Structure formats: C-alpha cells, structure tokens
Amino acid sequence: MYCEVYLFDAPYHIDRAFDYYTDRDICVGDIVRVPFGRQNKLRMGVVALVKDKSEGMNIKPVHSVLSARISFTEEMLGLCLFLKEHTLCTFGEAAKAILPRGALSENLNIKYSELLSLAVGEEETEKLLSSDGKGRIKSEGQREILRYLRGIGSADREIVKMLPGVTAAHIAALIKKGILTSDKTELYRNPYEKYFSKTDTEPIVLSRAQRAAYGVIEKLYLEDKPRCALLHGITGSGKTKIIMSAIDKAVAEGKKVIMMVPEIALTPQTLSIFCSRYGRRVATIHSSLSQGERLDAWRRIRDGGVDVVIGTRSAVLAPLDNIGLIIMDEEHEHTYKSESDPKYHARDVAAYRCARHNALLLLASATPSLESFYKAKSGIYTLIQLKERYGGFELPEAVIVDMREEIRLGNVGPISDRLLKELQGCQSRDEQGILFLNRRGYNSQISCKKCGEVLSCPRCSVSLTYHVGGEGKLMCHMCGYTQKLPKACPECGGTDLSFLGFGTQKVEGELSRYLPDMTVMRMDADTTTGKLSYDRMLEDFREGKADILLGTQMVAKGHDFPRVTLVGVVLADTSLYVSDFRAAERTFSLLTQVIGRAGRAGPGGRAIIQTYSPKNEIIKLACLQDYDSFYEGEIAIRKELSYPPFCDIVTLTLTSEDEAQLMRSSVTLSEFVLERLNKEYNSLPFVVFGPFEAQVYKINSKFRMKMIFKCKLNSKTRAFFRECLEKFALCKDVNLSADMNPFGV
Ligand code: ADP
Ligand code: ZN
C-alpha cells in the first residue's frame, strides 16, 4: 500500500504531497510520522490519499500512526487544500488553523472523571481489613480507602483522594493489586456551563416584515443546492430573531449550523440567548478560550455532539458535519479577514463549505460590504431587505455639529455645547448615552515646541500616545512599547512640549469636569485588559450602573441597550482621511452602526455627530442611515477607479530588520515581477504599483516594502504569486508574504 502525505512543517517551496509505503491498515486523514530528508528526521503529516501504486523512486516507509484520537475528515483535508490554493499558505499553516492547538501532542490534554470501584466481595474486603491473618493490608492509607468503599462500592477518584491520609500512591497500589478497578470517562470542559441553566423554548413571534424576510430565507433553505442570501436590515430592524428562526428550522431538520459574529458582539448577552435556546448542543469557538477548552469544544463538534457552533472568524473552520446553514452576522466586519497565515476571509471559506454541503450561506448587516451588496444587486445573492425598525420606532434623529464653529466661539475642548446639553437632558430623563471616539489614550501627539520634533516609537514609524494614570506614560499603539514622559525633548533638549489630539482618556477627564454628577464608564483597550472585564462592563452598563458609556469601536457595534437614547460621536473624521480605498465604506459603516445604538426600544433617539467636515457627503448619508445612496455613490467610484468588487487586489510585502537588504530584495522582486509578467503571464491583465514603503514603514523594528497588484484572481494569476513566494522562500533575512484582498490598502 502507498499513501500520499502532506507534512505539517514543510517550507513553502517543497510544500506538496510525498509518497510513502506501509503494510499497515492506513486511512485517509490519519496523522502519521514519516522519515524525511537526507537524515530521515521524523516529521508529522497527514495522509491525503491511499493508493496501490506509486511512480516515485526510493519510497520510504511510514514510521508510525498517531493515536486515532485526532484525525482529519475528508472535508478538513479539502479545506486545507482550499486554503493552500486560495490564500497561498502552506498545507501545514492551514492544518494548524483547523486543528486546535495541542491536538498534535502525544499527551492530549483531556480531562477525565474516574470512578474507583471495589473489585472484591464483602468477605474478601473484611479479610483485607482484618486485624491479623494472611493477605491483611498494612498501609493505613489503603485501609482507609477500603473502609470508605466497603459500604458504597464505588466513588469518584477526587473524593477518594480527599480521605484523610490517602495519596495517589495508595490508590495506584490497590489498583495494581486488583482490589480496585478504575473507570475513566472523558469530560468536556465548557466555560459556558452557566448559560445552560435557563431554557428558552418560546416560539419566536415575528413581525409582519420579519415574517416576509424569513419566508424568503426558508424557501431558499429548502432548495437543495449551494446558495447565498444577504439580509440587509437597518439597525434595530430585528435581524437576530430572523436568524434564530432560520437556525430553528435547520436544527429541526436535523442539520447543523455555524453562526459567526464579530469578536465584540460575542457578549454574554448573545451567548446566553443562544445557549438557552439550543442547550448543550451549542459549542463556542473564539480566541480567548483556554487551550483545553478549545480542544474540548473541537472534540465535541468532531464527535457529533454539537448542532450549533457560535463563534468568531475561526468558527468557520469547525469540524462540523452535515451543515445546513452558515450565518455571518455583521458580514462587513474586517475582523472576518485573517491577517496572519492562512490569510483567509471567512466569507470565502463559508461559501466553499456551503458548496460542499449544498447549504445556505446567510449574510446579515445594516451596512453590507460593497462586495456583497454588489453581488446581491447582480442577482448572485438573494437580497432581502428590512427598511423599518422592529416595533415601528423611528431611526434616531442625527444632528451634525461643526467643531470649527465651536473653536470660533472659543470652545477648544472635545465636547461641543450641543452635546453637553443633550447629555444633561439625557441624565434628567434618567436615560443613558453612548459616546464614541475611535482613539484611546489622552493625547495622540506630543511634540517639541522649539524644534518641532514629534515623539515617536523607537521600534515603529508612528508617534507615541500620551496616557495618564500613575506618573503618565507614552505608549506605542502599534507594538505596545512604553516609556516615561520625558522632561525635555530628546532631540534639542527644549523643555516646552505641546500635547495635541485627544483620546478617550481626555474626553473622560472633560466629562468629569463639566458633568461631575454623571457616572462615566470608559471602555477601550486600556480598561478591558482583564479576561472578563469587557463582558462585565457591558453588563454593568445594561444594569444602569453608569449614565454614559464612553469608548472606542467596542461601544459602537451590535449592542442592544434599551435605555440608550443618545449617541455622541466625538470626532467623526478619524477614519475618513486615511489613504485606503475602503476609508469611506468604513466611516459610513462605523457611523451608521454607532448612531443605530440610540432609541432602539422607544421613540426619541438622538445622535450628535461632531466633525470638522460638516459638508462631507459620507457623514451626511450616515446621519440619514441611507445605505442605498451611499452604495450608489461609492460603487460608481469603485468602478471608475477599478477597485473591488471590479477587480481583486493582492499585496506582496517584503519585511526585514536589515534595511539595506530590504532595498536590494525589493529591486530583485520588482525585476522578477516585471520579467514574469512580460513573458509567461503577458496575456493577463495586471496593474502593478510599487515597490514603495508601506504606509507604516517600520513596525517592531522591521522595515516593510510593498507591491500592490490589481488583477482578477484565478488559478493562473495565483500561480504567478506562488512563483514570487517560491523565489523568496529560501531567503533568510527577508520575508515575502502575499495577501489576497486585504483590508487597509
Ligand atoms: P438588529 O437588526 O439591529 O440586529 P435586533 O435584532 O437587535 O436588531 O433587534 C432590535 C430589538 O428589537 C431587540 O431588542 C430585539 O429583542 C427586539 N426584537 C426584534 N424582533 C423581535 C421579535 N420578533 N419579538 C420580540 N422582540 C423583537
Ligand atoms: Zn512601536
């Protein structure tokens, strides 16, 4: 017998299947150790194919098969190959994304419950415990165990271990003598146990508009072919209940479901809604599970014990079988795109898996990505729209405040007069408010008044942010570097420093000055470092422990707080002027989302949008929550300038700690690119930019050069990028990586 094996740690240029022979019974998906290379070092890999012939020479034997506890299904193998082909990662990188960490170690970190039982009869036990006679047990610890079990027969090991004077050695000795038997059962660690106490079996009662939307989804669901629907509903239109109805349907039909939400939406509120509805048949997958919890969730899914997987991006890789429905809530979120290998977009993987299972892909958003809405408009996806809020409540009235005018009137602080008044009004009516500013820290730029030097990170080419607290410190938001605030300019020694640009800390300070009797809760990366602090803050705010929730993106999206009637955007311009073709899309979606938090459970929701560019069209459209007009304008620009969805974008990034080496390599790369494109690939439409310095040239002491390609991704164009990666695969001091349709270009 022969088999084809993919190694888990093959470098890029030799990443393919290798033939081995074996006289054992071996199956596709088995994890094996095989000798590799001149020294026949043992490497781990997975069997991708079993066959009875091989064309190869000098075929080596399979060394061993790993315990059958972890193996790949055929779909998982297919997924690895899909990721390898579409994101240009190695097979091993894909496999490691699919397997939970620790799955490949010899000693799987599995917890057991162990039942210890007496293996001998009553009479025999008495004899063992007798005060004299043959076979009498002398060890006091062992005798204690026997005395305890004499009456009850068996007990959990943990209880036996707590008996006075008893140690693990006593238990082991009795097992060895055959007096005790041990029965192990595997346990699954589940941190969400507490959510299963409630059970929700209420039928969902949909409004008329929701029913119509659900009707379309159900009809699609019942078709037996791969298909995709885009549920576009304004904020507060009640998309969640429609999604739950669809999950109910799939589960009732015996099918399985993957439901993805962005990190910040995976809150206790969301989890408890789903756990109480689908009980222990729910598994959760996200990045802050412990290694053991993740392994157990994975095994439970793989063993068929789960109907509904809820999680963030990586949930799309869950080893679930018999999938009927995959849902991506807030499908426009950029966190669905992975930024490390494999650099996949969850939407692409979901589409691939739906194709395999003849399943329905359901995308939901109030502000769909341009790519998805374009597909919906072109009839590739079925478009389902909800234009009214659930309960008939009005969308919040949004007011634009011109901050230049505030300055003219002498107010240079971050909070306008109007916003201050609205906050006071909010408090007097015993309502809550959300304030959003996409920048943490106190001041975002410190510079020397004498020489103009801006204090920047020694490891990255970005300026340092000033954070108050303790003695105050300067911090790099790129790499985490911190230092004390210097007394003088490191460049000229001048002692007069200026502090510009404000972040959430500064706004917090201003609020306590102007509204001393309002309670403000600040939520950003600095206040949510503890494992559960984010969840706890959201709960506290929901329970009314604060009047204002102030924070970064974390406060902007997805949440449903019935008492929030006011939303303030402290500065709407922060994401508008970055040089990224998605800047307008991101600004529109962020503003729409945050404005949409107001007035969800009653009339009179308001939003105050502070900006230095009150005439900006994107800001105006977000205030009106007018997605359709935004889309029409933006899609025309994309078409005109040839950006996605009208083409694909690929970036090649060279990184190195050695700047001179990086420059030489980028010349090599650009020559190679031009040569290959002129010869082999000259029939394909490629537009090439660069190499140029990346927008942030240095991160964590590594310099970065970029090339950007506009093209149409298919097997031919991918082959070109693969050639580029192979060419640099052996370079030691520079690294080349490719990213297909990345965010932030
Ligand atoms: P969004 O479309 O913004 O995700 P949600 O799904 O959060 O909106 O719904 C907004 C609010 O309306 C929530 O508080 C939700 O509980 C309520 N809601 C929506 N649909 C229903 C329904 N069919 N029955 C009861 N409450 C509903
Ligand atoms: Zn840094």
Side-chain angles (χ1 to χ4, degrees):
M1 285 276 263
Y2 293 89
C3 58
E4 292 186 3
V5 174
Y6 275 99
L7 303 179
F8 287 145
D9 59 355
Y12 196 80
H13 61 291
I14 56 157
D15 183 36
R16 56 184 170 82
F18 294 96
D19 281 4
Y20 285 88
Y21 76 82
T22 178
D23 36 27
R24 246 182 292 231
D25 214 7
I26 226 168
C27 302
V28 168
D30 279 351
I31 293 178
V32 291
R33 267 181 220 288
V34 291
F36 190 81
R38 222 172 289 156
Q39 271 141 35
N40 284 328
K41 250 179 83 178
L42 287 184
R43 310 254 205 137
M44 237 194 259
V46 59
V47 176
L49 191 75
V50 177
K51 54 190 184 181
D52 47 17
K53 265 207 232 65
S54 166
E55 260 86 72
M57 309 267 283
N58 298 329
I59 303 220
K60 299 173 186 175
V62 171
H63 175 270
S64 54
V65 181
L66 225 68
S67 89
R69 302 303 305 272
I70 300 278
S71 63
F72 278 54
T73 58
E74 255 182 70
E75 190 191 1
M76 288 160 67
L77 283 172
L79 252 179
C80 288
L81 293 172
F82 172 84
L83 290 170
K84 177 171 156 61
E85 164 73 18
H86 285 82
T87 73
L88 305 188
C89 66
T90 64
F91 188 96
E93 283 161 345
K96 280 172 199 149
I98 289 177
L99 288 174
R101 232 181 333 130
L104 294 178
S105 82
E106 294 288 341
N107 303 311
L108 277 187
N109 173 8
I110 292 176
K111 279 243 184 320
Y112 296 93
S113 75
E114 190 177 348
L115 194 69
L116 298 174
S117 315
L118 273 180
V120 295
E122 254 171 67
E123 229 169 276
E124 178 73 17
T125 314
E126 292 310 322
K127 219 186 276 170
L128 293 169
L129 283 171
S130 65
S131 51
D132 53 35
K134 237 176 98 202
R136 168 178 183 262
I137 287 195
K138 297 198 190 70
S139 147
E140 209 21 66
Q142 295 181 25
R143 292 176 68 84
E144 179 65 27
I145 298 174
L146 291 183
R147 276 196 296 272
Y148 181 73
L149 290 178
R150 178 165 53 179
I152 48 176
S154 53
D156 194 278
R157 181 195 179 95
E158 294 304 308
I159 294 173
V160 174
K161 253 175 67 187
M162 285 190 312
L163 297 170
V166 169
T167 65
H170 296 136
I171 299 174
L174 287 175
I175 294 175
K176 202 163 164 217
K177 290 181 200 162
I179 298 171
L180 282 188
T181 56
S182 125
D183 227 345
K184 281 186 179 181
T185 28
E186 287 182 15
L187 290 180
Y188 296 119
R189 278 153 287 203
N190 191 339
Y192 300 104
E193 207 49 52
K194 63 170 187 268
Y195 294 124
F196 298 124
S197 52
K198 273 190 287 173
T199 45
D200 163 22
T201 49
E202 293 278 299
I204 297 171
V205 184
L206 298 177
S207 70
R208 182 192 296 239
Q210 285 174 322
R211 246 191 346 261
Y214 173 70
V216 180
I217 294 170
E218 186 183 63
K219 193 156 158 281
L220 277 174
Y221 176 79
L222 293 171
E223 285 175 24
D224 192 27
K225 60 171 197 215
R227 57 246 177 255
C228 177
L230 173 62
L231 175 60
H232 172 222
I234 60 167
T235 55
S237 56
K239 295 183 283 296
T240 317
K241 287 276 197 281
I242 300 175
I243 290 172
M244 290 179 79
S245 305
I247 299 178
D248 278 2
K249 175 77 186 167
V251 171
E253 303 246 313
K255 291 285 193 172
K256 309 210 162 173
V257 179
I258 296 176
M259 156 99 180
M260 281 178 276
V261 295
E263 274 83 353
I264 35 184
L266 199 67
T267 58
Q269 202 206 4
T270 314
L271 284 170
S272 92
I273 288 175
F274 285 91
C275 289
S276 51
R277 192 151 187 96
Y278 306 107
R280 287 202 164 65
R281 308 287 295 175
V282 174
T284 312
I285 288 196
H286 57 84
S287 56
S288 48
L289 293 179
S290 73
Q291 199 171 317
E293 288 164 353
R294 204 178 165 89
L295 177 66
D296 288 358
W298 194 89
R299 286 166 51 231
R300 209 151 58 82
I301 298 167
R302 175 85 165 82
D303 297 344
V306 170
D307 293 332
V308 183
V309 174
I310 299 182
T312 50
R313 177 181 66 227
S314 62
V316 79
L317 303 173
L320 202 62
D321 207 16
N322 196 21
I323 296 172
L325 176 65
I326 300 183
I327 298 149
M328 283 178 80
D329 196 14
E330 315 286 354
E331 68 90 30
H332 60 279
E333 276 289 320
H334 66 93
T335 49
Y336 282 128
K337 169 75 170 60
S338 164
E339 294 191 323
S340 56
D341 288 315
K343 299 193 189 85
Y344 65 95
H345 196 297
R347 201 193 296 120
D348 300 332
V349 179
Y352 167 79
R353 295 192 79 179
C354 283
R356 239 192 115 102
H357 290 272
N358 279 338
L360 170 65
L361 174 57
L362 177 59
L363 310 173
S365 174
T367 52
S369 63
L370 268 269
E371 286 89 338
S372 293
F373 205 74
Y374 180 72
K375 281 192 176 154
K377 285 260 179 179
S378 329
I380 299 169
Y381 297 167
T382 305
L383 180 61
I384 305 164
Q385 289 187 294
L386 289 166
K387 306 229 173 206
E388 313 247 293
R389 278 192 155 181
Y390 177 80
F393 302 120
E394 297 284 306
L395 282 168
E397 177 203 352
V399 180
I400 294 179
V401 173
D402 182 354
M403 291 306 274
R404 295 169 309 183
E405 190 59 27
E406 288 289 311
I407 294 175
R408 240 169 276 145
L409 297 173
N411 173 13
V412 292
I415 303 203
S416 65
D417 236 30
R418 175 71 195 261
L419 181 54
L420 198 64
K421 288 216 177 67
E422 291 288 351
L423 284 167
Q424 282 160 337
C426 201
Q427 186 188 27
S428 68
R429 289 186 303 271
D430 201 24
E431 296 164 354
Q432 290 178 303
I434 289 180
L435 285 188
F436 166 68
L437 174 62
N438 212 4
R439 210 192 268 153
R440 63 196 170 98
Y442 200 85
N443 295 108
S444 50
Q445 191 177 326
I446 319 298
S447 57
C448 172
K449 280 191 185 161
K450 195 161 148 215
C451 73
E453 171 79 2
V454 175
L455 299 188
S456 57
C457 176
R459 303 200 290 240
C460 312
S461 40
V462 295
S463 60
L464 292 167
T465 300
Y466 176 56
H467 287 244
V468 292
E471 289 171 16
K473 63 181 178 204
L474 295 178
M475 192 170 171
C476 171
H477 287 180
M478 205 57 101
C479 74
Y481 165 89
T482 56
Q483 69 172 62
K484 273 201 204 148
L485 181 68
K487 297 223 158 40
C489 168
E491 213 36 45
C492 74
T495 50
D496 205 0
L497 299 177
S498 84
F499 294 73
L500 291 174
F502 49 83
T504 46
Q505 275 193 336
K506 166 114 182 189
V507 174
E508 185 184 27
E510 298 278 307
L511 286 172
S512 69
R513 214 170 79 198
Y514 292 112
L515 302 164
D517 35 316
M518 279 185 102
T519 343
V520 179
M521 190 186 278
R522 175 165 61 88
M523 196 161 89
D524 54 32
D526 299 320
T527 62
T528 51
T529 46
K531 199 170 176 209
L532 291 170
S533 42
Y534 172 69
D535 292 348
R536 191 161 312 127
M537 286 177 112
L538 290 177
E539 285 307 293
D540 284 354
F541 185 63
R542 181 177 304 284
E543 285 167 17
K545 291 189 184 149
D547 303 309
I548 302 174
L549 180 65
L550 158 71
T552 51
Q553 303 216 21
M554 292 180 193
V555 306
K557 300 173 183 175
H559 310 303
D560 188 40
F561 298 113
R563 280 183 54 214
V564 169
T565 53
L566 174 68
V567 158
V569 176
V570 180
L571 190 59
D573 319 11
T574 47
S575 61
L576 206 47
Y577 299 109
V578 287
S579 66
D580 171 353
F581 77 88
R582 286 197 182 86
E585 181 178 352
R586 221 178 26 242
T587 304
F588 178 82
S589 131
L590 204 51
L591 290 179
T592 308
Q593 294 285 344
V594 64
I595 294 169
R597 295 314 104 203
R600 289 163 75 84
R606 265 148 305 117
I608 307 294
I609 315 299
Q610 305 189 142
T611 172
Y612 291 109
S613 20
K615 297 232 152 52
N616 182 283
E617 203 55 35
I618 301 295
I619 294 179
K620 280 201 222 155
L621 289 172
C623 286
L624 297 170
Q625 305 252 307
D626 184 356
Y627 179 84
D628 291 331
S629 304
F630 160 74
Y631 173 80
E632 292 305 332
E634 188 64 17
I635 200 78
I637 296 173
R638 298 275 179 98
K639 185 162 195 181
E640 172 81 25
L641 301 178
S642 202
Y643 272 118
F646 299 99
C647 71
D648 290 300
I649 291 207
V650 179
T651 59
L652 289 181
T653 309
L654 279 166
T655 17
S656 176
E657 289 192 19
D658 179 345
E659 206 174 356
Q661 178 63 42
L662 181 69
M663 290 309 153
R664 284 193 293 276
S665 299
S666 72
V667 173
T668 313
L669 174 64
S670 92
E671 283 172 359
F672 179 76
V673 162
L674 290 184
E675 195 220 293
R676 297 305 292 154
L677 289 187
N678 285 334
K679 289 201 178 129
E680 187 79 17
Y681 299 95
N682 73 356
S683 60
L684 300 173
F686 267 102
V687 184
V688 186
F689 303 89
F692 42 69
E693 295 181 359
Q695 207 174 69
V696 181
Y697 178 46
K698 188 170 80 164
I699 296 180
N700 230 337
S701 305
K702 286 193 174 135
F703 301 91
R704 309 179 316 144
M705 294 290 286
K706 253 186 192 297
M707 289 191 85
I708 296 181
F709 300 78
K710 285 183 179 174
C711 61
K712 197 84 220 156
L713 277 175
N714 54 34
S715 57
K716 281 203 199 101
T717 48
R718 281 193 206 100
F720 161 72
F721 293 111
R722 203 168 297 125
E723 272 192 39
C724 296
L725 291 179
E726 274 164 13
K727 172 145 180 87
F728 280 82
L730 286 174
C731 285
K732 287 224 167 49
D733 31 10
V734 278
N735 175 272
L736 180 66
S737 69
D739 201 345
M740 310 297 182
N741 289 318
F743 281 74
V745 179

